[in-house]
mmCIF file with all atom_site columns, all heavy atoms in Angstrom:
data_model
loop_
_atom_site.group_PDB
_atom_site.id
_atom_site.type_symbol
_atom_site.label_atom_id
_atom_site.label_alt_id
_atom_site.label_comp_id
_atom_site.label_asym_id
_atom_site.label_entity_id
_atom_site.label_seq_id
_atom_site.pdbx_PDB_ins_code
_atom_site.Cartn_x
_atom_site.Cartn_y
_atom_site.Cartn_z
_atom_site.occupancy
_atom_site.B_iso_or_equiv
_atom_site.pdbx_formal_charge
_atom_site.auth_seq_id
_atom_site.auth_comp_id
_atom_site.auth_asym_id
_atom_site.auth_atom_id
_atom_site.pdbx_PDB_model_num
ATOM 1   N N   . ILE A 1 92  ? 132.176 109.764 122.219 1.00 97.00 ? 92  ILE A N   1
ATOM 2   C CA  . ILE A 1 92  ? 133.424 110.509 122.059 1.00 97.00 ? 92  ILE A CA  1
ATOM 3   C C   . ILE A 1 92  ? 133.090 111.801 121.325 1.00 97.00 ? 92  ILE A C   1
ATOM 4   O O   . ILE A 1 92  ? 132.513 111.770 120.231 1.00 97.00 ? 92  ILE A O   1
ATOM 5   C CB  . ILE A 1 92  ? 134.499 109.728 121.260 1.00 97.00 ? 92  ILE A CB  1
ATOM 6   C CG1 . ILE A 1 92  ? 134.782 108.380 121.927 1.00 97.00 ? 92  ILE A CG1 1
ATOM 7   C CG2 . ILE A 1 92  ? 135.744 110.533 121.115 1.00 97.00 ? 92  ILE A CG2 1
ATOM 8   C CD1 . ILE A 1 92  ? 135.627 107.444 121.063 1.00 97.00 ? 92  ILE A CD1 1
ATOM 9   N N   . HIS A 1 93  ? 133.444 112.926 121.939 1.00 97.00 ? 93  HIS A N   1
ATOM 10  C CA  . HIS A 1 93  ? 133.150 114.226 121.332 1.00 97.00 ? 93  HIS A CA  1
ATOM 11  C C   . HIS A 1 93  ? 134.478 114.923 120.929 1.00 97.00 ? 93  HIS A C   1
ATOM 12  O O   . HIS A 1 93  ? 135.233 115.325 121.780 1.00 97.00 ? 93  HIS A O   1
ATOM 13  C CB  . HIS A 1 93  ? 132.387 115.113 122.311 1.00 97.00 ? 93  HIS A CB  1
ATOM 14  C CG  . HIS A 1 93  ? 131.141 114.492 122.843 1.00 97.00 ? 93  HIS A CG  1
ATOM 15  N ND1 . HIS A 1 93  ? 129.931 114.546 122.172 1.00 97.00 ? 93  HIS A ND1 1
ATOM 16  C CD2 . HIS A 1 93  ? 130.909 113.832 124.006 1.00 97.00 ? 93  HIS A CD2 1
ATOM 17  C CE1 . HIS A 1 93  ? 129.018 113.930 122.901 1.00 97.00 ? 93  HIS A CE1 1
ATOM 18  N NE2 . HIS A 1 93  ? 129.579 113.493 124.012 1.00 97.00 ? 93  HIS A NE2 1
ATOM 19  N N   . PHE A 1 94  ? 134.686 114.998 119.611 1.00 96.00 ? 94  PHE A N   1
ATOM 20  C CA  . PHE A 1 94  ? 135.747 115.827 119.080 1.00 96.00 ? 94  PHE A CA  1
ATOM 21  C C   . PHE A 1 94  ? 135.095 117.078 118.498 1.00 96.00 ? 94  PHE A C   1
ATOM 22  O O   . PHE A 1 94  ? 133.880 117.117 118.295 1.00 96.00 ? 94  PHE A O   1
ATOM 23  C CB  . PHE A 1 94  ? 136.492 115.091 117.956 1.00 96.00 ? 94  PHE A CB  1
ATOM 24  C CG  . PHE A 1 94  ? 137.315 113.919 118.419 1.00 96.00 ? 94  PHE A CG  1
ATOM 25  C CD1 . PHE A 1 94  ? 136.972 112.632 118.021 1.00 96.00 ? 94  PHE A CD1 1
ATOM 26  C CD2 . PHE A 1 94  ? 138.439 114.104 119.196 1.00 96.00 ? 94  PHE A CD2 1
ATOM 27  C CE1 . PHE A 1 94  ? 137.734 111.537 118.447 1.00 96.00 ? 94  PHE A CE1 1
ATOM 28  C CE2 . PHE A 1 94  ? 139.194 113.022 119.628 1.00 96.00 ? 94  PHE A CE2 1
ATOM 29  C CZ  . PHE A 1 94  ? 138.851 111.737 119.237 1.00 96.00 ? 94  PHE A CZ  1
ATOM 30  N N   . PRO A 1 95  ? 135.864 118.146 118.230 1.00 93.00 ? 95  PRO A N   1
ATOM 31  C CA  . PRO A 1 95  ? 135.269 119.307 117.562 1.00 93.00 ? 95  PRO A CA  1
ATOM 32  C C   . PRO A 1 95  ? 134.612 118.894 116.244 1.00 93.00 ? 95  PRO A C   1
ATOM 33  O O   . PRO A 1 95  ? 135.261 118.275 115.387 1.00 93.00 ? 95  PRO A O   1
ATOM 34  C CB  . PRO A 1 95  ? 136.476 120.215 117.333 1.00 93.00 ? 95  PRO A CB  1
ATOM 35  C CG  . PRO A 1 95  ? 137.439 119.847 118.408 1.00 93.00 ? 95  PRO A CG  1
ATOM 36  C CD  . PRO A 1 95  ? 137.285 118.370 118.593 1.00 93.00 ? 95  PRO A CD  1
ATOM 37  N N   . ASN A 1 96  ? 133.336 119.151 116.144 1.00 89.00 ? 96  ASN A N   1
ATOM 38  C CA  . ASN A 1 96  ? 132.563 118.881 114.917 1.00 89.00 ? 96  ASN A CA  1
ATOM 39  C C   . ASN A 1 96  ? 132.422 117.381 114.588 1.00 89.00 ? 96  ASN A C   1
ATOM 40  O O   . ASN A 1 96  ? 132.143 117.004 113.451 1.00 89.00 ? 96  ASN A O   1
ATOM 41  C CB  . ASN A 1 96  ? 133.191 119.578 113.704 1.00 89.00 ? 96  ASN A CB  1
ATOM 42  C CG  . ASN A 1 96  ? 133.363 121.058 113.913 1.00 89.00 ? 96  ASN A CG  1
ATOM 43  O OD1 . ASN A 1 96  ? 132.431 121.733 114.391 1.00 89.00 ? 96  ASN A OD1 1
ATOM 44  N ND2 . ASN A 1 96  ? 134.536 121.592 113.602 1.00 89.00 ? 96  ASN A ND2 1
ATOM 45  N N   . ASP A 1 97  ? 132.601 116.530 115.589 1.00 93.00 ? 97  ASP A N   1
ATOM 46  C CA  . ASP A 1 97  ? 132.490 115.102 115.305 1.00 93.00 ? 97  ASP A CA  1
ATOM 47  C C   . ASP A 1 97  ? 132.195 114.366 116.613 1.00 93.00 ? 97  ASP A C   1
ATOM 48  O O   . ASP A 1 97  ? 133.007 114.375 117.559 1.00 93.00 ? 97  ASP A O   1
ATOM 49  C CB  . ASP A 1 97  ? 133.786 114.566 114.721 1.00 93.00 ? 97  ASP A CB  1
ATOM 50  C CG  . ASP A 1 97  ? 133.692 113.128 114.249 1.00 93.00 ? 97  ASP A CG  1
ATOM 51  O OD1 . ASP A 1 97  ? 132.553 112.601 114.128 1.00 93.00 ? 97  ASP A OD1 1
ATOM 52  O OD2 . ASP A 1 97  ? 134.747 112.498 114.017 1.00 93.00 ? 97  ASP A OD2 1
ATOM 53  N N   . THR A 1 98  ? 131.022 113.719 116.690 1.00 96.00 ? 98  THR A N   1
ATOM 54  C CA  . THR A 1 98  ? 130.666 112.888 117.848 1.00 96.00 ? 98  THR A CA  1
ATOM 55  C C   . THR A 1 98  ? 130.565 111.439 117.403 1.00 96.00 ? 98  THR A C   1
ATOM 56  O O   . THR A 1 98  ? 129.872 111.124 116.413 1.00 96.00 ? 98  THR A O   1
ATOM 57  C CB  . THR A 1 98  ? 129.332 113.341 118.488 1.00 96.00 ? 98  THR A CB  1
ATOM 58  O OG1 . THR A 1 98  ? 129.503 114.632 119.066 1.00 96.00 ? 98  THR A OG1 1
ATOM 59  C CG2 . THR A 1 98  ? 128.897 112.364 119.575 1.00 96.00 ? 98  THR A CG2 1
ATOM 60  N N   . ILE A 1 99  ? 131.265 110.564 118.069 1.00 97.00 ? 99  ILE A N   1
ATOM 61  C CA  . ILE A 1 99  ? 131.319 109.144 117.711 1.00 97.00 ? 99  ILE A CA  1
ATOM 62  C C   . ILE A 1 99  ? 130.657 108.317 118.791 1.00 97.00 ? 99  ILE A C   1
ATOM 63  O O   . ILE A 1 99  ? 130.963 108.463 119.980 1.00 97.00 ? 99  ILE A O   1
ATOM 64  C CB  . ILE A 1 99  ? 132.779 108.709 117.525 1.00 97.00 ? 99  ILE A CB  1
ATOM 65  C CG1 . ILE A 1 99  ? 133.409 109.492 116.383 1.00 97.00 ? 99  ILE A CG1 1
ATOM 66  C CG2 . ILE A 1 99  ? 132.868 107.212 117.260 1.00 97.00 ? 99  ILE A CG2 1
ATOM 67  C CD1 . ILE A 1 99  ? 134.917 109.528 116.438 1.00 97.00 ? 99  ILE A CD1 1
ATOM 68  N N   . SER A 1 100 ? 129.732 107.481 118.378 1.00 96.00 ? 100 SER A N   1
ATOM 69  C CA  . SER A 1 100 ? 129.050 106.610 119.328 1.00 96.00 ? 100 SER A CA  1
ATOM 70  C C   . SER A 1 100 ? 129.720 105.237 119.325 1.00 96.00 ? 100 SER A C   1
ATOM 71  O O   . SER A 1 100 ? 129.883 104.607 118.277 1.00 96.00 ? 100 SER A O   1
ATOM 72  C CB  . SER A 1 100 ? 127.577 106.472 118.909 1.00 96.00 ? 100 SER A CB  1
ATOM 73  O OG  . SER A 1 100 ? 126.914 105.534 119.713 1.00 96.00 ? 100 SER A OG  1
ATOM 74  N N   . ILE A 1 101 ? 130.123 104.799 120.535 1.00 96.00 ? 101 ILE A N   1
ATOM 75  C CA  . ILE A 1 101 ? 130.684 103.448 120.663 1.00 96.00 ? 101 ILE A CA  1
ATOM 76  C C   . ILE A 1 101 ? 129.530 102.520 120.989 1.00 96.00 ? 101 ILE A C   1
ATOM 77  O O   . ILE A 1 101 ? 128.975 102.540 122.102 1.00 96.00 ? 101 ILE A O   1
ATOM 78  C CB  . ILE A 1 101 ? 131.738 103.404 121.785 1.00 96.00 ? 101 ILE A CB  1
ATOM 79  C CG1 . ILE A 1 101 ? 132.912 104.338 121.448 1.00 96.00 ? 101 ILE A CG1 1
ATOM 80  C CG2 . ILE A 1 101 ? 132.257 101.971 121.954 1.00 96.00 ? 101 ILE A CG2 1
ATOM 81  C CD1 . ILE A 1 101 ? 134.016 104.334 122.475 1.00 96.00 ? 101 ILE A CD1 1
ATOM 82  N N   . SER A 1 102 ? 129.154 101.720 120.017 1.00 95.00 ? 102 SER A N   1
ATOM 83  C CA  . SER A 1 102 ? 128.003 100.845 120.147 1.00 95.00 ? 102 SER A CA  1
ATOM 84  C C   . SER A 1 102 ? 128.147 99.874  121.303 1.00 95.00 ? 102 SER A C   1
ATOM 85  O O   . SER A 1 102 ? 129.250 99.490  121.677 1.00 95.00 ? 102 SER A O   1
ATOM 86  C CB  . SER A 1 102 ? 127.789 100.092 118.840 1.00 95.00 ? 102 SER A CB  1
ATOM 87  O OG  . SER A 1 102 ? 126.793 99.120  118.987 1.00 95.00 ? 102 SER A OG  1
ATOM 88  N N   . ALA A 1 103 ? 126.994 99.457  121.831 1.00 93.00 ? 103 ALA A N   1
ATOM 89  C CA  . ALA A 1 103 ? 127.014 98.438  122.881 1.00 93.00 ? 103 ALA A CA  1
ATOM 90  C C   . ALA A 1 103 ? 127.522 97.102  122.331 1.00 93.00 ? 103 ALA A C   1
ATOM 91  O O   . ALA A 1 103 ? 127.942 96.222  123.092 1.00 93.00 ? 103 ALA A O   1
ATOM 92  C CB  . ALA A 1 103 ? 125.612 98.259  123.455 1.00 93.00 ? 103 ALA A CB  1
ATOM 93  N N   . SER A 1 104 ? 127.472 96.938  121.024 1.00 95.00 ? 104 SER A N   1
ATOM 94  C CA  . SER A 1 104 ? 127.956 95.720  120.375 1.00 95.00 ? 104 SER A CA  1
ATOM 95  C C   . SER A 1 104 ? 129.315 95.981  119.749 1.00 95.00 ? 104 SER A C   1
ATOM 96  O O   . SER A 1 104 ? 129.475 96.898  118.936 1.00 95.00 ? 104 SER A O   1
ATOM 97  C CB  . SER A 1 104 ? 126.965 95.270  119.292 1.00 95.00 ? 104 SER A CB  1
ATOM 98  O OG  . SER A 1 104 ? 127.580 94.399  118.385 1.00 95.00 ? 104 SER A OG  1
ATOM 99  N N   . HIS A 1 105 ? 130.339 95.210  120.144 1.00 95.00 ? 105 HIS A N   1
ATOM 100 C CA  . HIS A 1 105 ? 131.654 95.430  119.569 1.00 95.00 ? 105 HIS A CA  1
ATOM 101 C C   . HIS A 1 105 ? 131.656 95.120  118.066 1.00 95.00 ? 105 HIS A C   1
ATOM 102 O O   . HIS A 1 105 ? 132.448 95.711  117.328 1.00 95.00 ? 105 HIS A O   1
ATOM 103 C CB  . HIS A 1 105 ? 132.714 94.580  120.293 1.00 95.00 ? 105 HIS A CB  1
ATOM 104 C CG  . HIS A 1 105 ? 132.630 93.127  120.027 1.00 95.00 ? 105 HIS A CG  1
ATOM 105 N ND1 . HIS A 1 105 ? 131.812 92.270  120.730 1.00 95.00 ? 105 HIS A ND1 1
ATOM 106 C CD2 . HIS A 1 105 ? 133.306 92.343  119.129 1.00 95.00 ? 105 HIS A CD2 1
ATOM 107 C CE1 . HIS A 1 105 ? 131.969 91.035  120.289 1.00 95.00 ? 105 HIS A CE1 1
ATOM 108 N NE2 . HIS A 1 105 ? 132.842 91.055  119.316 1.00 95.00 ? 105 HIS A NE2 1
ATOM 109 N N   . GLU A 1 106 ? 130.770 94.214  117.625 1.00 96.00 ? 106 GLU A N   1
ATOM 110 C CA  . GLU A 1 106 ? 130.676 93.921  116.201 1.00 96.00 ? 106 GLU A CA  1
ATOM 111 C C   . GLU A 1 106 ? 130.197 95.168  115.425 1.00 96.00 ? 106 GLU A C   1
ATOM 112 O O   . GLU A 1 106 ? 130.730 95.473  114.362 1.00 96.00 ? 106 GLU A O   1
ATOM 113 C CB  . GLU A 1 106 ? 129.728 92.752  115.909 1.00 96.00 ? 106 GLU A CB  1
ATOM 114 C CG  . GLU A 1 106 ? 130.232 91.416  116.397 1.00 96.00 ? 106 GLU A CG  1
ATOM 115 C CD  . GLU A 1 106 ? 129.680 91.065  117.771 1.00 96.00 ? 106 GLU A CD  1
ATOM 116 O OE1 . GLU A 1 106 ? 129.182 92.005  118.463 1.00 96.00 ? 106 GLU A OE1 1
ATOM 117 O OE2 . GLU A 1 106 ? 129.750 89.875  118.147 1.00 96.00 ? 106 GLU A OE2 1
ATOM 118 N N   . GLU A 1 107 ? 129.213 95.865  115.994 1.00 97.00 ? 107 GLU A N   1
ATOM 119 C CA  . GLU A 1 107 ? 128.700 97.076  115.356 1.00 97.00 ? 107 GLU A CA  1
ATOM 120 C C   . GLU A 1 107 ? 129.750 98.184  115.344 1.00 97.00 ? 107 GLU A C   1
ATOM 121 O O   . GLU A 1 107 ? 129.889 98.910  114.355 1.00 97.00 ? 107 GLU A O   1
ATOM 122 C CB  . GLU A 1 107 ? 127.422 97.545  116.047 1.00 97.00 ? 107 GLU A CB  1
ATOM 123 C CG  . GLU A 1 107 ? 126.222 96.651  115.820 1.00 97.00 ? 107 GLU A CG  1
ATOM 124 C CD  . GLU A 1 107 ? 124.971 97.206  116.503 1.00 97.00 ? 107 GLU A CD  1
ATOM 125 O OE1 . GLU A 1 107 ? 124.999 98.383  116.956 1.00 97.00 ? 107 GLU A OE1 1
ATOM 126 O OE2 . GLU A 1 107 ? 123.971 96.460  116.588 1.00 97.00 ? 107 GLU A OE2 1
ATOM 127 N N   . PHE A 1 108 ? 130.468 98.305  116.439 1.00 97.00 ? 108 PHE A N   1
ATOM 128 C CA  . PHE A 1 108 ? 131.514 99.335  116.504 1.00 97.00 ? 108 PHE A CA  1
ATOM 129 C C   . PHE A 1 108 ? 132.613 99.053  115.516 1.00 97.00 ? 108 PHE A C   1
ATOM 130 O O   . PHE A 1 108 ? 133.092 99.935  114.792 1.00 97.00 ? 108 PHE A O   1
ATOM 131 C CB  . PHE A 1 108 ? 132.069 99.428  117.908 1.00 97.00 ? 108 PHE A CB  1
ATOM 132 C CG  . PHE A 1 108 ? 133.074 100.523 118.116 1.00 97.00 ? 108 PHE A CG  1
ATOM 133 C CD1 . PHE A 1 108 ? 132.838 101.823 117.663 1.00 97.00 ? 108 PHE A CD1 1
ATOM 134 C CD2 . PHE A 1 108 ? 134.279 100.261 118.769 1.00 97.00 ? 108 PHE A CD2 1
ATOM 135 C CE1 . PHE A 1 108 ? 133.751 102.823 117.841 1.00 97.00 ? 108 PHE A CE1 1
ATOM 136 C CE2 . PHE A 1 108 ? 135.216 101.269 118.942 1.00 97.00 ? 108 PHE A CE2 1
ATOM 137 C CZ  . PHE A 1 108 ? 134.959 102.561 118.487 1.00 97.00 ? 108 PHE A CZ  1
ATOM 138 N N   . ARG A 1 109 ? 133.011 97.771  115.399 1.00 97.00 ? 109 ARG A N   1
ATOM 139 C CA  . ARG A 1 109 ? 134.023 97.393  114.447 1.00 97.00 ? 109 ARG A CA  1
ATOM 140 C C   . ARG A 1 109 ? 133.533 97.682  113.029 1.00 97.00 ? 109 ARG A C   1
ATOM 141 O O   . ARG A 1 109 ? 134.287 98.193  112.198 1.00 97.00 ? 109 ARG A O   1
ATOM 142 C CB  . ARG A 1 109 ? 134.361 95.908  114.600 1.00 97.00 ? 109 ARG A CB  1
ATOM 143 C CG  . ARG A 1 109 ? 135.356 95.377  113.580 1.00 97.00 ? 109 ARG A CG  1
ATOM 144 C CD  . ARG A 1 109 ? 135.438 93.866  113.566 1.00 97.00 ? 109 ARG A CD  1
ATOM 145 N NE  . ARG A 1 109 ? 136.053 93.390  112.350 1.00 97.00 ? 109 ARG A NE  1
ATOM 146 C CZ  . ARG A 1 109 ? 135.418 93.289  111.187 1.00 97.00 ? 109 ARG A CZ  1
ATOM 147 N NH1 . ARG A 1 109 ? 134.150 93.613  111.081 1.00 97.00 ? 109 ARG A NH1 1
ATOM 148 N NH2 . ARG A 1 109 ? 136.068 92.851  110.109 1.00 97.00 ? 109 ARG A NH2 1
#
Side-chain angles (χ1 to χ4, degrees):
I92 303 171
H93 305 276
F94 291 114
N96 304 315
D97 187 15
T98 292
I99 298 158
S100 175
I101 299 180
S102 172
S104 161
H105 71 275
E106 292 95 343
E107 289 182 12
F108 184 48
R109 177 192 162 281

